[in-house]
């Protein structure tokens, strides 16, 4: 059964959860605006595949930086640092994560634990979202689901082309 949550301002509808796929896959739709993108992170358990439905995004990985527009795909392999930046005022995408080993996918579990039930489907203005003052819980919960968030220093080493969290790119 689909669940729609808000996490860091993003609107995420979990269309298929790991708990419904024997832990092998999770499938979700995300709506996001510039300034609400995720910090640089690594999925230890899963590959991530983005299919852009509306808008344009720039993906940052250690191997390359590339743009994807509506109809485009971004593959983010397990074990590699990555993030993305919105190039348009709003992006809508489908995300599929697939487990790479015996552990279950973790992204959906993390989002369900950290997000809150959505009362509406609008993506808020980024200026209305309070920054996370103490990332300790986020880091701990992420680690429990196989998601590792990089420090600013590690981010500069892993993704030298990445302009930084919350920086608008064009």
């Amino acid at each position: 059964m689909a669940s729609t949550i808000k996490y860091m301002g993003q609107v995420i509808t979990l269309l298929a959860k790991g708990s419904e796929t024997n832990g092998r896959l999770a499938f979700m739709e995300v709506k996001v605006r510039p300034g609400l993108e995720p910090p640089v992170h690594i999925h230890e358990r899963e590959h991530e595949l983005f299919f852009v439905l509306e808008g344009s995004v720039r993906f940052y990985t250690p191997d390359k930086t590339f743009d994807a527009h509506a109809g485009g795909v971004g593959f983010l392999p397990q074990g590699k640092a990555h993030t993305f930046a919105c190039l348009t005022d709003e992006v809508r995408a489908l995300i599929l994560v697939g487990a790479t080993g015996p552990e279950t996918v973790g992204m959906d579990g993390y989002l369900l634990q950290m997000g809150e039930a959505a009362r509406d489907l609008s993506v808020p203005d980024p200026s209305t979202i309070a920054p996370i003052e103490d990332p300790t819980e986020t880091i701990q919960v992420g680690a429990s689901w196989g998601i590792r968030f990089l420090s600013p220093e590690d981010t500069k080493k892993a993704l030298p082309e990445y302009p930084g969290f919350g920086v608008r790119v064009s």
Side-chain angles (χ1 to χ4, degrees):
M1 178 176 203
S3 303
T4 300
I5 62 168
K6 287 196 176 182
Y7 173 65
M8 291 179 54
Q10 299 176 30
V11 177
I12 302 164
T13 301
L14 294 119
L15 302 165
K17 302 176 194 91
S19 61
E20 300 165 334
T21 65
N22 261 357
R24 301 294 82 206
L25 301 168
F27 185 53
M28 58 203 81
E29 178 184 350
V30 63
K31 292 192 321 185
V32 60
R33 297 176 76 182
L36 300 175
E37 304 94 337
V40 176
H41 59 282
I42 296 172
H43 295 272
E44 302 288 358
R45 302 180 182 181
E46 59 214 2
H47 292 306
E48 183 176 3
L49 183 76
F50 253 76
F51 179 76
V52 181
L53 296 168
E54 297 173 4
S56 298
V57 296
R58 177 164 297 148
F59 292 100
Y60 297 90
T61 73
D63 301 324
K64 62 183 174 178
T65 297
F66 61 98
D67 295 348
H69 311 284
V73 172
F75 176 69
L76 307 165
Q78 175 267 333
K80 300 265 186 162
H82 65 273
T83 194
F84 66 89
C86 298
L87 300 176
T88 52
D89 288 337
E90 189 167 300
V91 171
R92 190 168 69 94
L94 295 173
I95 301 174
L96 176 69
V97 291
T100 58
E103 292 184 284
T104 63
V105 292
M107 186 172 166
D108 62 324
Y110 169 79
L111 292 169
L112 286 165
Q113 188 170 344
M114 294 300 293
E116 58 186 47
R119 291 188 277 285
D120 63 66
L121 299 179
S122 64
V123 182
D125 183 290
S127 67
T128 66
I129 303 299
I132 297 172
E133 296 297 326
D134 180 4
T136 304
E137 179 187 15
T138 302
I139 292 167
Q140 289 173 344
V141 172
S144 74
W145 289 104
I147 299 169
R148 182 165 39 104
F149 294 99
L150 274 63
S151 69
E153 297 78 24
D154 289 339
T155 293
K156 286 178 186 172
K157 291 177 196 168
L159 303 178
E161 292 186 34
Y162 177 61
F165 183 68
V167 175
R168 180 83 190 238
V169 296
S170 54

